[in-house]
Amino acid sequence: MAMNTADTFKKIVLSGCFSCIFCAYSFMPLILNAHESDYHKISAAPSSASILQAPVSDCLKCHDDHLFSSQFPESAHGLNGCRSCHSGITDEEEHMRGEEIPVLTSCGACHEEIQKDYLNNYHYLHQDFKCYDCHNNIHSITPAGKNRKKAILSQCTLCHANDEYALSGHGKAVLANNEDAATCSDCHGLHDTQVWHTSQETYPAQAREFYHATCIRCHSDEDMMARNSLSATTVRFYEHTYHGKVQGIGYPTKVAGCADCHTSHNILPKDDPASTIHPANLVNNCGRCHSGFHARFVEYKAHPDFRNRKLYPSLYWTNVFMVGLLVITFLFFWLHGILWWRKTYWEKHEREIKGVVPNPPIPGSEGVQQIQRFTAKEIFMHVMLILSFFTLVMTGFPLKYHDAPWAKTLIGLWGGAHSAGVFHRLAAIVLFLLFFYVLWRSLRFLFPKGQGAKGWTSRLFSSDSLFPNLKDWQDLKGMFKWFFNRGERPEFDRWTYWEKFDFLAVFWGMAVIGGSGIFLMAPEWTSYLFPGWVLNVAALLHSEEALLAALFIFTVHFFNTHLIPKKFPMDRTIFTGRYTLEELREERAVEYERLVRENRLDHLKSSHPGILTKLIAAAFGLASLLLGLFLAAIILWSVIFH
Amino acid sequence: MENNTALTFLSRLSVLLCLFVFLAPQSAVSQTNTWKELSPNEVHQMITSGTDLVLVNTMSLLECRDHTIAGSACIPAPYFAEMAPEVLSRKDQLIIFYCESSSCRRSYRAGKAALEMGYANVAILSGGMPAWKHAGLETTSTLRIPRMGIRSIKPKALKSRIDSNKPVLIVDIRSPGDFEEMNIPGSLNIPMDELDKRYQKLPWDKPIVVVDENGYRSFLAACYLSWKGHAGVERLFGGMQDWKKSFSDK
């Protein structure tokens, strides 16, 4: 055989770790050789006659042990002949005189895949185990067949006795010949056994991810779970919980994976008093990570099926309510937006056919006069709102859709899940401050200094109020009539009904998303107020309300304010604080007349914003718009396809 | 006055900075007289290209005979000063030290001793033998200790066995220095290097628990004792490192 030096060296090298020398210690029990198993794919069966230079019968003339004469021909390697492993004998006479000793042949020459795996094997790397240290019956080895899992177990337990495992569900099932149950190698690997330093609670992220993936591999297999009367949805519902989401995004060190609650070997059903998940042991079990909680904290559900009305009514109804709210809100506002767009686009088309060009305000006329709509403080507040909202969305949504392809990239932008979590909480604090300031200003509007509560209802429904009144209902009807060409476009006052909705929805949103967020930020403290399952409800509310808020802002608010054909691509008013008198007269005719009537218009007249202000406003506004639309697209993609 | 103190502080600071500038090259010079770390593939390439080198396995003779990189000299780290002049006659030859695990310090100890003895060209195989094997490279053995089914016992279980006065002989295979620093009361110190000479004197009727530094070496020692006829030999899981961690707080 022509081989270059490097190849020869490699061959020798590879044979080193795999040399199946004649082993004198073959009194241990028969173990596996399962050709049907993945681990035993034979890559290069001995094929050529050159290997089988001499028939077995020649060797048996001297080596006439029962092992070779009757057991070997029946074994898995029986057809290979002696010289496929004991090669290098060129002269039988010399060999018989003891001068020529056969060269050790590598098991890896045929079992290539295993050889590759074995280079990672702890037993090989640190204790120099060779194939024959486990496969010590190499001359009589037969496929383990149905007893494969048990055979692995009996081999590993020669050193690694584990009473807890033997009594666990997995152990009992393996011993009862259940081929689905996890034997040692299913979790620890067979030929690629790796050691993770799990002792002494030093548990690296890598190990936790490895074991987590191992549990999930079987427990999400629907067929396997069905034939063993176990639930295949457990994994899916775990992934809906906070633990599952943080685990999924790749920050496993701070949240409970499967083995943290169920342990690794002592896995027992929860009605067994020795189980870590038995109700009597839960305080201890949760207490391994959490501290300072009330006992009812353990009423938290680790993987509840929120669609099961009988088992989890609170989660079921919360989910029904949130899904309903989402569907109704978007059905209404998306329809509203589409009809609005159709009406304006068709109107424009009509004008174009007729050649009617809208009259631009005459240069130097009053029409180009700038009118102040927002104060500097309000602009600042909106900018802070935008920044905190984007931070919350971009740190929270990767967690919500942790298995989406974009999730890990997005969380990576924040420097990983941990720092993203810090940013999420910081942004939440900013948003809370804004919210409380707005709340305070709203109260000051209703109860101004010196006037107190007197006449607050008239202020609540006044034209400057952001609270809906009868006119909004009429405007809404009017708009729909206008959409369907059944009437003129209504004339608006200072705040339109969709602007009022944007404003008031935040109060609802902050109560739901902020309240649940606070509970989730301090789950242990929450247990002094509520039982643990409230955290499940809070997590569901937080997640679904976030979806509602993000999609509402990035689609409905963006369309109503910026993307309608008249404003496209954006309305700068919120960033410059000003718009033209012409725009005021056209969009808010009622307000204009009111301002003229009350002699307040002159006070609102303002200078034209500077070029720098306009540029910054355009850049910041357009960037926010594009980012929001991009986020809406990936979120919608995940809603539909995940 | 205030200006003056600030000036004094600044001038002192600048003197210190200058001193650092002058000191820095000197420390760099002293650093050149040290070992280099070589990866398994680098060493393998040197061997195949015929570089003038010698590999030194710093584990005990028992372990070195069990398995080692082909062509290595066996010089247990504690005996380096004693054995080196005989085995490593040339001081300019490249000497590459290695040991059994990546956390093993023996190769560094031997490397340091070699530098002190005037060997000019010292290297350490980074990652030791596990890295060598992981790279798919060969080891060979001259007297292999057969691997046996050796049970391990966790620190707390061993402690309760001792406390309940059950018969047990703890054989500590660490160096006498390590043993003196801290040991399990009642244990017997037989360094791994002396195990093959002293195992016969161990009582045959007592169950033995082998204790090492961190759980890497006790398996082979326990296999050796089993091979030599001791029944029921066990090993301490995680060695003294885990023992310390388990009982340090209490």
Side-chain angles (χ1 to χ4, degrees):
Chain A
M1 260 170 117
M3 250 189 208
N4 63 31
T5 337
D7 282 344
T8 318
F9 186 82
K10 204 173 173 193
K11 193 108 188 175
I12 295 167
V13 162
L14 290 175
S15 73
C17 58
F18 258 68
S19 42
C20 284
I21 59 165
F22 216 108
C23 182
Y25 315 100
S26 45
F27 43 74
M28 293 193 204
L30 281 187
I31 72 142
L32 63 144
N33 178 327
H35 278 165
E36 71 273 19
S37 116
D38 284 346
Y39 291 109
H40 286 76
K41 271 183 196 145
I42 295 179
S43 45
S47 54
S48 68
S50 65
I51 304 172
L52 308 162
Q53 288 154 351
V56 175
S57 57
D58 279 8
C59 304
L60 284 176
K61 281 178 204 160
C62 299
H63 304 277
D64 58 354
D65 194 290
H66 169 71
L67 180 65
F68 309 126
S69 61
S70 57
Q71 284 186 299
F72 179 67
E74 296 294 313
S75 78
H77 299 112
L79 291 174
N80 294 11
C82 303
R83 293 191 186 189
S84 62
C85 293
H86 307 279
S87 63
I89 299 169
T90 52
D91 188 318
E92 232 166 73
E93 297 292 320
E94 273 182 36
H95 173 63
M96 283 195 284
R97 282 200 301 274
E99 287 162 10
E100 200 174 51
I101 293 162
V103 176
L104 313 174
T105 298
S106 162
C107 302
C110 296
H111 302 276
E112 255 179 27
E113 286 294 314
I114 300 176
Q115 177 163 332
K116 239 182 266 168
D117 285 350
Y118 203 59
L119 290 182
N120 294 314
N121 188 305
Y122 176 85
H123 297 115
Y124 169 57
L125 295 177
H126 290 280
Q127 302 299 346
D128 206 55
F129 269 65
K130 309 272 161 121
C131 307
Y132 53 80
D133 286 315
C134 293
H135 304 275
N136 41 45
N137 56 337
I138 197 71
H139 289 105
S140 57
I141 201 163
T142 52
K146 284 199 166 176
N147 292 321
R148 189 173 161 266
K149 293 219 172 189
K150 233 199 278 189
I152 293 170
L153 184 61
S154 65
Q155 190 70 4
C156 298
T157 48
L158 287 174
C159 291
H160 306 279
N162 194 314
D163 298 340
E164 285 186 341
Y165 172 80
L167 295 170
S168 75
H170 287 147
K172 277 185 189 162
V174 167
L175 292 171
N177 292 330
N178 181 330
E179 280 299 293
D180 288 332
T183 191
C184 313
S185 60
D186 287 312
C187 300
H188 300 280
L190 185 57
H191 290 110
D192 58 348
T193 315
Q194 288 171 55
V195 170
W196 307 100
H197 296 279
T198 56
S199 62
Q200 307 290 343
E201 304 284 319
T202 46
Y203 208 28
Q206 202 185 14
R208 295 167 64 91
E209 269 181 358
F210 174 81
Y211 288 123
H212 185 76
T214 304
C215 301
I216 281 179
R217 199 183 58 217
C218 292
H219 284 273
S220 57
D221 181 330
E222 284 181 19
D223 294 339
M224 190 194 281
M225 291 302 107
R227 45 174 194 267
N228 290 286
S229 314
L230 293 166
S231 164
T233 52
T234 308
V235 172
R236 186 146 48 91
F237 292 119
Y238 165 76
E239 284 170 354
H240 278 291
T241 66
Y242 178 78
H243 291 148
K245 286 173 179 175
V246 179
Q247 170 89 33
I249 201 68
Y251 186 53
T253 46
K254 293 284 178 191
V255 286
C258 312
D260 291 296
C261 301
H262 295 278
T263 73
S264 46
H265 294 117
N266 185 32
I267 303 168
L268 294 165
K270 70 174 165 202
D271 50 8
D272 188 322
S275 168
T276 49
I277 55 164
H278 184 273
N281 301 328
L282 278 177
V283 169
N284 262 342
N285 203 17
C286 300
R288 284 166 52 226
C289 297
H290 297 274
S291 58
F293 56 82
H294 188 276
R296 60 179 161 240
F297 181 64
V298 304
E299 285 175 46
Y300 172 77
K301 308 292 176 211
H303 27 64
D305 178 354
F306 56 83
R307 297 170 316 187
N308 188 324
R309 183 153 53 108
K310 278 189 184 142
L311 280 176
Y312 307 105
S314 54
L315 277 174
Y316 174 83
W317 288 114
T318 308
N319 187 50
V320 167
F321 173 74
M322 285 312 295
V323 170
L325 187 65
L326 271 149
V327 169
I328 291 168
T329 308
F330 288 116
L331 264 184
F332 176 79
F333 278 101
W334 284 349
L335 184 73
H336 182 270
I338 290 165
L339 292 174
W340 189 355
W341 171 83
R342 194 223 50 98
K343 176 67 186 171
T344 40
Y345 204 75
W346 262 240
E347 267 188 352
K348 192 168 161 248
H349 176 68
E350 291 285 310
R351 281 201 305 273
E352 278 169 4
I353 289 174
K354 290 176 185 156
V356 182
V357 184
N359 289 335
I362 302 146
S365 74
E366 207 195 14
V368 292
Q369 170 64 48
Q370 293 285 310
I371 298 295
Q372 194 79 35
R373 179 154 165 80
F374 300 111
T375 63
K377 196 191 274 176
E378 285 156 356
I379 296 166
F380 173 75
M381 283 165 69
H382 199 69
V383 168
M384 291 310 287
L385 179 68
I386 290 171
L387 293 176
S388 61
F389 192 77
F390 272 128
T391 307
L392 287 163
V393 169
M394 288 169 71
T395 51
F397 273 85
L399 214 56
K400 180 167 170 64
Y401 297 109
H402 56 91
D403 48 355
W406 49 266
K408 286 205 168 122
T409 317
L410 198 54
I411 209 91
L413 294 179
W414 299 94
H418 176 69
S419 46
V422 175
F423 280 112
H424 195 82
R425 285 154 182 80
L426 285 176
I429 291 168
V430 172
L431 197 57
F432 266 119
L433 292 176
L434 284 172
F435 173 71
F436 285 119
Y437 180 68
V438 170
L439 197 65
W440 185 77
R441 272 187 56 165
S442 304
L443 290 173
R444 288 304 301 273
F445 171 80
L446 287 179
F447 311 105
K449 261 185 191 166
Q451 289 189 44
K454 199 179 160 199
W456 71 276
T457 42
S458 62
R459 280 191 293 278
L460 184 66
F461 296 108
S462 70
S463 303
D464 285 325
S465 168
L466 273 157
F467 201 80
N469 53 31
L470 194 61
K471 182 179 178 336
D472 292 307
W473 173 241
Q474 285 158 352
D475 286 350
L476 177 67
K477 285 192 292 186
M479 276 293 267
F480 271 89
K481 279 182 187 156
W482 177 62
F483 294 157
F484 292 104
N485 309 322
R486 302 269 160 98
E488 285 297 304
R489 190 176 190 272
E491 294 191 329
F492 294 102
D493 206 323
R494 184 169 173 193
W495 308 109
T496 63
Y497 63 81
W498 62 86
E499 287 163 343
K500 288 182 180 180
F501 188 90
D502 280 3
F503 179 79
L504 287 172
V506 174
F507 281 81
W508 157 258
M510 280 304 292
V512 173
I513 211 165
S516 59
I518 288 171
F519 293 163
L520 295 170
M521 221 192 282
E524 293 92 352
W525 294 358
T526 305
S527 66
Y528 285 94
L529 296 174
F530 305 109
W533 59 263
V534 170
L535 291 167
N536 293 96
V537 176
L540 185 68
L541 280 174
H542 197 76
S543 173
E544 295 305 302
E545 179 63 29
L547 181 65
L548 178 63
L551 281 185
F552 188 87
I553 297 298
F554 299 150
T555 59
V556 180
H557 171 70
F558 275 14
F559 176 80
N560 290 353
T561 314
H562 302 289
L563 303 177
I564 45 165
K566 276 196 169 175
K567 300 284 182 191
F568 187 87
M570 69 166 289
D571 184 354
R572 274 199 302 245
T573 314
I574 190 63
F575 302 116
T576 60
R578 286 162 272 197
Y579 59 164
T580 62
L581 187 64
E582 184 66 25
E583 281 170 301
L584 170 66
R585 210 151 40 194
E586 195 182 328
E587 291 164 23
R588 300 171 207 280
V590 180
E591 186 191 7
Y592 170 75
E593 281 156 24
R594 194 158 55 83
L595 290 172
V596 172
R597 200 169 54 242
E598 294 169 8
N599 279 331
R600 281 163 60 200
L601 191 64
D602 285 341
H603 297 293
L604 293 175
K605 282 184 179 167
S606 166
S607 61
H608 200 88
I611 186 99
L612 192 65
T613 314
K614 279 163 79 177
L615 273 174
I616 292 171
F620 184 78
L622 278 175
S624 302
L625 265 172
L626 289 174
L627 180 62
L629 289 174
F630 170 73
L631 290 171
I634 58 174
I635 290 169
L636 272 173
W637 185 85
S638 294
V639 170
I640 296 163
F641 297 109
H642 271 263
Chain B
M1 278 302 280
E2 270 181 8
N3 264 344
N4 261 345
T5 28
L7 272 176
T8 330
F9 174 74
L10 276 176
S11 57
R12 277 180 192 167
L13 195 70
S14 51
V15 169
L16 271 175
L17 279 173
C18 291
L19 271 175
F20 268 113
V21 172
F22 284 109
L23 282 172
Q26 280 176 1
S27 55
V29 167
S30 67
Q31 268 178 4
T32 54
N33 190 19
T34 183
W35 56 71
K36 48 181 174 274
E37 298 234 358
L38 295 172
S39 74
N41 283 324
E42 284 172 321
V43 174
H44 171 229
Q45 216 151 31
M46 285 176 170
I47 296 169
T48 43
S49 65
T51 309
D52 180 23
L53 60 84
V54 59
L55 281 155
V56 176
N57 185 328
T58 57
M59 304 300 286
S60 67
L61 290 179
L62 212 65
E63 290 159 297
C64 190
R65 281 197 297 257
D66 182 80
H67 66 286
T68 191
I69 298 170
S72 300
C74 296
I75 310 180
Y79 304 108
F80 185 78
E82 205 179 301
M83 289 171 72
E86 206 179 311
V87 186
L88 310 166
S89 49
R90 283 168 41 215
K91 298 225 159 165
D92 59 330
Q93 196 180 19
L94 173 63
I95 306 170
I96 304 169
F97 294 96
Y98 65 92
C99 53
E100 180 48 273
S101 80
S102 47
S103 58
C104 160
R105 313 304 298 170
R106 283 174 196 81
S107 46
Y108 294 96
R109 260 181 248 154
K112 200 173 163 229
L115 287 170
E116 283 164 8
M117 287 169 71
Y119 289 95
N121 214 350
V122 175
I124 306 282
L125 174 65
S126 64
M129 205 134 54
W132 178 267
K133 290 183 203 167
H134 184 67
L137 300 165
E138 186 191 10
T139 60
T140 137
S141 62
T142 43
L143 185 62
R144 191 165 196 272
I145 300 164
R147 301 319 191 244
M148 307 265 183
I150 302 291
R151 296 279 171 104
S152 59
I153 178 167
K154 298 236 167 144
K156 278 177 188 156
L158 179 60
K159 180 91 173 17
S160 70
R161 201 187 285 184
I162 298 166
D163 291 346
S164 59
N165 288 321
K166 282 184 185 156
V168 59
L169 176 64
I170 298 161
V171 175
D172 193 322
I173 59 163
R174 294 175 304 150
S175 70
D178 287 350
F179 182 78
E180 229 142 82
E181 206 175 283
M182 189 199 180
N183 59 56
I184 301 170
S187 57
L188 177 68
N189 182 219
I190 305 182
M192 188 76 171
D193 300 296
E194 295 170 24
L195 197 61
D196 52 343
K197 288 164 211 124
R198 290 172 59 187
Y199 77 89
Q200 282 163 318
K201 287 175 187 147
L202 291 170
W204 297 91
D205 56 347
K206 255 190 177 180
I208 291 173
V209 175
V210 184
V211 171
D212 64 355
E213 288 96 342
N214 48 20
Y216 281 108
R217 298 177 94 190
S218 54
F219 175 71
L220 199 66
C223 284
Y224 182 76
L225 293 176
S226 295
W227 188 34
K228 293 297 176 186
H230 283 277
V233 185
E234 290 173 294
R235 48 180 284 269
L236 176 64
F237 185 89
M240 279 309 280
Q241 191 180 300
D242 273 18
W243 178 274
K244 278 182 211 166
K245 274 188 203 160
S246 300
F247 302 113
S248 61
D249 304 337
K250 284 140 207 170

